[in-house]
Amino acid sequence: MIIVDQNDLGTALTSHPDVAKVAFNAAFVRRSCSSYLHPVGTCAMGPGREAVVDAELRVRGTLGLRVADASVMPTIPSANTNAPSIMIGEFASRLLVVG
């Protein structure tokens, strides 16, 4: 178990330098890492070869499969992903109805 003084992030409550370094690094990671909580871009849409989905939400290299959720967003939006996801769904429904 690693014990770190919560008042001073870098001061471990042990004198062994290796343990102090591990404790410091563990405390740093706990304080500085976070989640976006709205993951997007797992099959990003775009014109390039790296894009999984084309502009009409069709999965490249697969017939009859479209993706219509937040995973097609190429970057994380600065706001909640709910409204853009609804818009993507509306766009997909129009594509399916119109053809």
Side-chain angles (χ1 to χ4, degrees):
M1 181 173 171
I2 299 170
I3 300 172
V4 175
D5 182 353
Q6 296 299 317
N7 295 324
D8 183 2
L9 182 61
T11 305
L13 299 177
T14 180
S15 60
H16 194 279
D18 290 338
V19 174
K21 184 176 180 181
V22 170
F24 176 81
N25 289 340
F28 173 78
V29 169
R30 282 190 196 98
R31 283 188 66 179
S32 61
C33 293
S34 65
S35 170
Y36 280 108
L37 302 177
H38 298 287
V40 302
T42 56
C43 57
M45 175 175 46
R49 292 182 53 131
E50 287 88 29
V52 177
V53 179
D54 68 11
E56 293 187 355
L57 305 175
R58 295 179 294 222
V59 176
R60 298 181 194 277
T62 305
L63 295 175
L65 179 63
R66 294 182 195 245
V67 176
D69 62 14
S71 64
V72 302
M73 296 180 202
T75 59
I76 299 172
S78 60
N80 193 298
T81 58
N82 185 41
S85 296
I86 292 170
M87 293 172 57
I88 291 167
E90 292 287 333
F91 178 67
S93 67
R94 288 191 192 114
L95 290 172
L96 294 174
V97 170
V98 174

